[in-house]
Amino acid sequence: NGAEQTQANGTETFHSHGSKLGSLLATQIQKQLIACLGLTDRGIKQANFAVLRYTDMPAVLTEVCFLSNLQDTSFITKPHNVTKAAEAIAQGIVDYFYYIDKGE
């Protein structure tokens, strides 16, 4: 992510307007990212991005951190933090399927 305000920081996850499954997927991924990385929780948001809109399945867009923020950039450029972020996203996907299988 990036912003003109260099103090903007943290993690946010987007899903398409009205997508209940997208919202559930976003919730599970965001929850894991915050728990694993400890970055500021900017929440789950709805957006009309093409990558979310032009799909036939639940989809999310995750912004792990702000490259315009020096602390976030320092954090995400460490290979072990990139691995932690990838593992958190993967666990969020696993959790999503767990909830779908349970019918929740």
Side-chain angles (χ1 to χ4, degrees), residues 29-99:
I29 290 173
Q30 182 75 6
K31 180 172 70 171
Q32 288 297 326
L33 283 166
I34 297 308
C36 292
L37 302 180
L39 297 174
T40 301
D41 185 354
R42 293 179 59 91
I44 298 157
K45 301 174 180 175
Q46 295 183 20
N48 195 30
F49 301 140
V51 295
L52 302 175
R53 191 174 59 242
Y54 295 120
T55 182
D56 294 330
M57 64 192 78
V60 301
L61 174 73
T62 297
E63 299 280 5
V64 174
C65 66
F66 280 77
L67 296 180
S68 53
N69 179 288
L70 291 177
Q71 291 165 321
D72 275 11
T73 300
S74 175
F75 177 87
I76 203 62
T77 55
K78 294 182 175 108
H80 68 277
N81 288 333
V82 173
T83 300
K84 283 172 52 176
E87 290 171 348
I89 292 167
Q91 185 60 54
I93 294 168
V94 168
D95 293 348
Y96 164 81
F97 282 112
Y98 173 77
Y99 284 105

Side-chain angles (χ1 to χ4, degrees), residues 1-14:
N1 210 344
E4 288 184 28
Q5 301 294 330
T6 59
Q7 66 269 28
N9 64 9
T11 302
E12 55 193 356
T13 302
F14 297 87

